[in-house]
Amino acid sequence: MSNSRRPKGRGGSVFFTVCLAQRGSALLVDEIEILREAVKVTRARRPFGIDAWVVLPDHMHAVWTLPADDPSYSDRWGAIKARFSKVVRLKGGESVGWKPTLPTDRRVGFQPTEAERLRAARSPSKVAKQDAGIWQRRFWEHHIRDEADYDAHVRYCMTNPVKHGLVERPEDWPYSSVHRDMRIGRWAA
């Protein structure tokens, strides 16, 4: 059992890193519209502010500001991940770039069904929890302490595609809130 503690405060801004289970996948950018819809539906039901967000092929970073009367970011991330996973699974998983690990049983004539492939790709605990195996179970969060901390984490979101060698300038990455910030004058190219 984890000894991690999460502050039980009201609202505030929080920086997140959320990763796919299969590092090296491009599922998030390949299915960006599914992700956008999952976020849109979740925000409509449980509002939160998006201060910064960048989606990379296999992980994403975000800074959210949560309402004082409903600071549960875990529920929001759970809803986003569940909605995304459900649609990816309905689309057929492998046809959208999610490839579960195949069983190691190489018997002649053995042809695992899709259900057997999915079970083999997930641990018994993920199967019991009906986890699709698309996401890492946990995410990393950091509660913003002050304005300098906030600015540093927003900048981290914007510059992360450059750090990973995906583009030369933050504004060249299409899956980033940097474009919104440029339109409203919060980010200078």
Side-chain angles (χ1 to χ4, degrees):
M1 180 168 201
S2 172
N3 287 332
S4 66
R5 291 187 189 177
R6 293 183 174 158
K8 301 257 192 269
R10 292 193 262 201
S13 296
V14 185
F15 169 80
F16 301 97
T17 299
V18 181
C19 302
L20 292 176
Q22 288 182 348
R23 295 308 295 256
S25 168
L27 184 61
L28 291 177
V29 295
D30 290 347
E31 297 300 334
I32 193 72
E33 291 308 318
I34 296 172
L35 180 61
R36 286 179 175 149
E37 185 64 19
V39 171
K40 179 181 170 184
V41 171
T42 301
R43 284 184 77 200
R45 295 181 180 171
R46 308 257 330 250
F48 60 92
I50 297 173
D51 303 322
W53 200 314
V54 63
V55 178
L56 290 100
D58 63 358
H59 70 284
M60 55 188 157
H61 302 287
V63 176
W64 292 357
T65 296
L66 298 159
D69 64 335
D70 185 11
S72 178
Y73 50 81
S74 292
D75 291 347
R76 288 170 171 87
W77 275 117
I80 290 167
K81 291 162 80 172
R83 287 182 175 102
F84 180 86
S85 297
K86 180 179 181 180
V87 176
V88 166
R89 286 169 50 189
L90 288 173
K91 281 184 79 173
E94 291 186 48
S95 66
V96 294
W98 175 61
K99 296 178 179 70
T101 307
L102 291 174
T104 57
D105 189 338
R106 297 288 182 203
R107 291 176 287 162
V108 175
F110 178 69
Q111 297 296 322
T113 65
E114 185 64 21
E116 288 168 327
R117 275 196 277 257
L118 291 173
R119 273 194 298 278
R122 298 178 296 158
S123 66
S125 67
K126 284 190 174 193
V127 171
K129 292 181 180 185
Q130 297 181 344
D131 186 320
I134 293 174
W135 299 97
Q136 285 185 0
R137 185 163 297 154
R138 298 181 182 266
F139 54 84
W140 190 82
E141 88 271 352
H142 166 78
H143 293 262
I144 303 297
R145 295 182 301 266
D146 55 31
E147 191 171 335
D149 194 30
Y150 176 87
D151 291 342
H153 283 88
V154 168
R155 177 166 292 283
Y156 184 86
C157 288
M158 304 306 181
T159 59
N160 204 249
V162 176
K163 174 187 166 196
H164 285 281
L166 298 169
V167 292
E168 290 185 23
R169 302 173 311 149
E171 56 270 20
D172 294 337
W173 186 249
Y175 313 113
S176 171
S177 61
V178 72
H179 304 288
R180 174 202 63 194
D181 288 359
M182 289 173 67
R183 281 192 305 274
I184 62 175
R186 282 197 318 211
W187 183 272

